[in-house]
């Protein structure tokens, strides 16, 4: 592995939120999904956040779901979505999770 790749991998694994949102913007993902005609059922986390979390989890040394969900929560807080309100709203919704 080259030094540049290792530096990027270390940076991503040490970030609090979802670092792929900067490298892989929502618009690029939406365009690819539309071109490929990929359908996605609504779940607790949307397809963009799920992809960013998955990519972060794959590169992180701690590959646990707990760590991935922690990064999602950090992202939501960073985006000014209160994590308590978020969980409360979705746990009381009628949607299947």
């Amino acid at each position: 592995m080259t030094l540049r790749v290792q530096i990027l991998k270390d940076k991503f694994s040490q970030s609090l939120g979802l670092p792929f949102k900067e490298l892989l913007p929502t618009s690029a993902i939406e365009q690819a999904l539309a071109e490929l005609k990929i359908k996605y059922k609504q779940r607790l986390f949307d397809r963009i956040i799920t992809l960013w979390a998955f990519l972060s989890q794959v590169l992180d040394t701690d590959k646990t779901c707990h760590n991935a969900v922690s990064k999602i929560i950090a992202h939501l807080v960073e985006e000014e979505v209160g994590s308590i309100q978020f969980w409360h709203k979705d746990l009381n919704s009628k949607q299947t999770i």
Side-chain angles (χ1 to χ4, degrees), residues 8-57:
L8 281 174
K9 185 176 176 185
D10 291 344
K11 179 182 175 187
F12 286 153
S13 69
Q14 295 170 4
S15 67
L16 290 176
L18 298 173
F20 280 94
K21 71 179 180 179
E22 296 170 18
L23 289 177
L24 193 57
T26 300
S27 59
I29 298 170
E30 291 291 353
Q31 180 181 354
L33 293 173
E35 288 174 7
L36 296 171
K37 298 179 182 170
I38 295 175
K39 303 218 187 241
Y40 183 86
K41 294 182 180 181
Q42 184 61 40
R43 299 288 189 226
L44 181 60
F45 302 118
D46 69 25
R47 57 190 173 200
I48 307 299
I49 290 177
T50 301
L51 178 61
W52 289 335
F54 172 74
L55 293 172
S56 296
Q57 184 178 16

Side-chain angles (χ1 to χ4, degrees), residues 77-91:
V77 170
E78 179 183 48
E79 295 293 318
E80 298 181 351
V81 176
S83 59
I84 294 172
Q85 293 172 352
F86 174 81
W87 289 108
H88 177 27
K89 180 187 86 172
D90 284 318
L91 288 177

